Amino acid sequence: MNKGFRWSILWAIALIVFAIAMPAGPWTIDDSVKRIAAEQAERFPPLVVVDGPVRSGLQDHGDFAPLAEPFARRVNGGFALGFSPLTRLLFELWYFGGEWLAKLFLLLIGLILWWVLARSGIEYGFLLLPLTFYSLVPWEHALAWLLSWGACWIILLRSEESKRESYLLAGIGLAFAAALRPETLLLAIGLIIYLFLGKRTGSAIALTTSFGFLTVVFALLFKLAADSAAVQISLNYSSLSFPTIIRSFPGKFYDLILSFSGNWMETLLHLLLLLIAAALILLAQRKKNQQLLFVGAALLAVSFLLFTFRLWSNALPPLYLLHSGSMLVALPWMLLLLLPPYRNRPAFWLGVTIMVIAILLAPLSQGVHWGPRLLLFAVPLFIIDLYRSDRAKGWLFNALLILTLAHTAGSGLLAYARASESSDHIRYVEPKLGGIVVCSTRSQCLNLAPLWNEREFFVASTPRELRQLLIEFRSIEVDTIWLHLDVFDPLYVKVFPDENPVVWPYRMTIVQSGKLYTTRWRLYELIMNRKDPRWGEILDTEAGYLMGEKRWEKAAELETEAVALLPGSAAIHSNCATALSALNQNDEAIVQARMALELDPELEEPALLLRHLRATQKSDSATPELLHNPDSIQARDPAP
């Protein structure tokens, strides 16, 4: 038993311990969307989250949506999620058995991959893939990686010993991998082209036949299954164009390959530390100089400690990964691939080619939703190149491998902290939330994915959006809502700074969740009190914005309601008259203008309007531009 295999056994044991200890909370928004796909989406057509009764009552059912691109698209009656039916089926199997079955599923993928790499003769390969095992990479990426490994191994390492049947099986594995993760198509096409260029026509035909046949079958199934795959592709690439691809490549290359931080100077410092350390260790290896080895190892340690300090000094450490989820952070051993010579390295050049194409086509580059896992499909080629070029030895390999494992352990701790925070959050807020929940961001709604079974979620990010949503709820006779906000979010206070129709009675709770880092949330239980006259002020405020946007019909509707609630307000009567006159409802406008003047004879706007309407009562003249000026409309909210 060699050293690499012994270390991989210890790593597999660590994986088992970590999987058991890992809380059940989601790690990324992606994980939350998967759970929604598994538990909420209808089977036929698949992956459509159907509107609930409250959303169905909104004037525009797609407003205030907790799901949006690139995760979902609005369709008639619901939201279509961008996942293939095969992925959806595996989601259901994963979540069907609860927390422990989900853990077992992840654990089995990792352990099978460890065994496959060991059987392939690359015992240390398991140590090179940290992202697969600490939840930064969702399980379908890891499973697609496992399914595609066989094709890479047969074509690039065992081509002379493999029979045609092996290539047929390799094509089947690639087809299933591509059904899980579409970027695997690039790997499959690259391998097929490599076989044809190498004049291994029979093998290429066998691989193409099985891969092509199953890919067509999956494509037809996806077509029959309400175009789930098409939704996935179009959501991610709807705004992509050739000029955009070329212009965005440098930025995406930086984010996906090099970035250590949102600050480019910090990234430059890390790159210098890594390159200088690698050069010193390589020189020490050649000269057998222990002092140089010590200095190089110290520089690697400084880079790791600096990164770890910056990560955990952030108030929300997972957000730091939005600008630090690069391949060089996750897999620093890939620096070994840059060493010459470069000839006779087909796996390396094939990997570089398809990775460059993947970066060109990537719709986004930042964040854990994309990050280095988007390029994980090419990593098998680089592991094979590392093995074939005999670079997996010596001081530099050991130093970079240790750095990789250190980043794995640190990121594993972060994944644990995030799962702990999210599971606490869900557990604490569940008994305090009712059936209609309003959040200030979509990420808050999605982080509460386990609570979607009996609740409807809405998003209102600004004071005006919250005011509009409350008005809609009032119109469909909603009695109580629950508002979920970050503890420092002033949204509620901005909308209702004084006494108002939804403040009393109410209940506000502060929830704190997490262990290694914490988050704090405010939960408001709001009673709508739909008949409270103070709703008139809220309706009038929103109507003022609508008139400023020339949306006269809706403004007139709200002003008419406001007048009924506050008949003693001259300002509201005046604003109602303005809205009605814009719709050429002059008789009604005259009535409202007169009532405004009866309540407050000093008002100028209704007097001007009344004089104009009387002069043009028999014509279809429009209201003067002066009266349509938003600045002339009273009772406007100063802080939208």
Side-chain angles (χ1 to χ4, degrees), residues 260 266-267 269-275 277 296-310 320 328-329 332 403 407:
F260 275 77
E266 288 185 17
T267 293
L269 174 61
H270 280 288
L271 290 175
L272 289 174
L273 288 173
L274 284 181
L275 293 175
L299 291 178
L300 291 180
V302 168
S303 173
F304 172 74
L305 292 175
L306 178 61
F307 177 81
T308 303
F309 172 76
R310 292 286 288 116
Y320 188 76
L328 202 54
V329 173
L403 181 60
H407 275 295

Side-chain angles (χ1 to χ4, degrees), residues 51-66 74-79 458 472:
D51 294 336
V54 176
R55 178 167 295 281
S56 299
L58 300 182
Q59 287 194 350
D60 187 338
H61 305 332
D63 284 348
F64 316 105
R74 181 67 194 173
V75 295
N76 186 28
F79 298 92
F458 301 84
E472 291 250 30

Side-chain angles (χ1 to χ4, degrees), residues 580-594:
L580 291 170
S581 67
L583 296 173
N584 291 325
Q585 298 179 19
N586 294 341
D587 292 338
E588 294 88 341
I590 289 174
V591 172
Q592 294 298 326
R594 284 175 176 170

Side-chain angles (χ1 to χ4, degrees), residues 269-464:
L269 174 61
H270 280 288
L271 290 175
L272 289 174
L273 288 173
L274 284 181
L275 293 175
I276 294 172
L280 289 175
I281 294 173
L282 193 60
L283 185 61
Q285 179 177 313
R286 291 173 179 172
K287 295 188 174 183
K288 305 298 180 183
N289 188 316
Q290 297 288 339
Q291 288 78 15
L292 288 177
L293 174 62
F294 176 79
V295 174
L299 291 178
L300 291 180
V302 168
S303 173
F304 172 74
L305 292 175
L306 178 61
F307 177 81
T308 303
F309 172 76
R310 292 286 288 116
L311 176 69
W312 287 99
S313 63
N314 194 290
L316 290 174
L319 291 182
Y320 188 76
L321 293 181
L322 290 175
H323 301 283
S324 62
S326 68
M327 294 290 281
L328 202 54
V329 173
L331 307 173
W333 59 265
M334 293 184 71
L335 281 174
L336 290 165
L337 303 174
L338 301 179
L339 297 175
Y342 303 109
R343 299 189 61 177
N344 299 319
R345 294 174 61 185
F348 172 75
W349 289 112
L350 181 57
V352 168
T353 301
I354 64 174
M355 196 161 68
V356 167
I357 295 173
I359 295 173
L360 281 168
L361 296 179
L364 298 172
S365 59
Q366 291 181 348
V368 294
H369 176 56
W370 297 103
R373 75 186 191 202
L374 182 67
L375 305 178
L376 189 66
F377 76 98
V379 173
L381 301 175
F382 295 123
I383 292 178
I384 289 173
D385 177 71
L386 194 71
Y387 174 76
R388 287 187 55 170
S389 60
D390 201 26
R391 294 162 190 260
K393 62 182 181 181
W395 292 353
L396 182 57
F397 171 74
N398 291 330
L400 292 177
L401 179 58
I402 291 172
L403 181 60
T404 299
L405 299 180
H407 275 295
T408 299
S411 298
L413 184 64
L414 178 61
Y416 174 85
R418 164 61 179 156
S420 174
E421 183 273 329
S422 57
S423 62
D424 284 353
H425 184 193
I426 292 166
R427 184 170 69 255
Y428 295 152
V429 304
E430 182 175 13
K432 299 176 174 62
L433 291 180
I436 303 174
V437 182
V438 179
C439 301
S440 59
T441 64
R442 287 192 176 91
S443 61
Q444 290 180 25
C445 291
L446 295 175
N447 285 335
L448 298 175
L451 307 183
W452 279 43
N453 283 329
E454 300 175 355
R455 297 170 178 85
E456 288 189 65
F457 283 81
F458 301 84
V459 174
S461 301
T462 65
R464 187 182 177 193

Side-chain angles (χ1 to χ4, degrees), residues 459-508:
V459 174
S461 301
T462 65
R464 187 182 177 193
E465 287 180 355
L466 180 56
R467 187 164 46 243
Q468 289 173 322
L469 184 56
L470 291 175
I471 290 172
E472 291 250 30
F473 285 157
R474 178 181 176 275
S475 68
I476 58 176
E477 300 184 352
V478 170
D479 293 318
T480 308
I481 67 167
W482 283 260
L483 184 61
H484 178 281
L485 300 176
D486 182 90
V487 73
F488 299 111
D489 191 336
L491 178 63
Y492 178 81
V493 176
K494 284 185 176 180
V495 176
F496 301 120
D498 303 311
E499 288 190 10
N500 58 83
V502 298
V503 166
W504 185 262
Y506 85 107
R507 183 182 296 110
M508 190 276 288

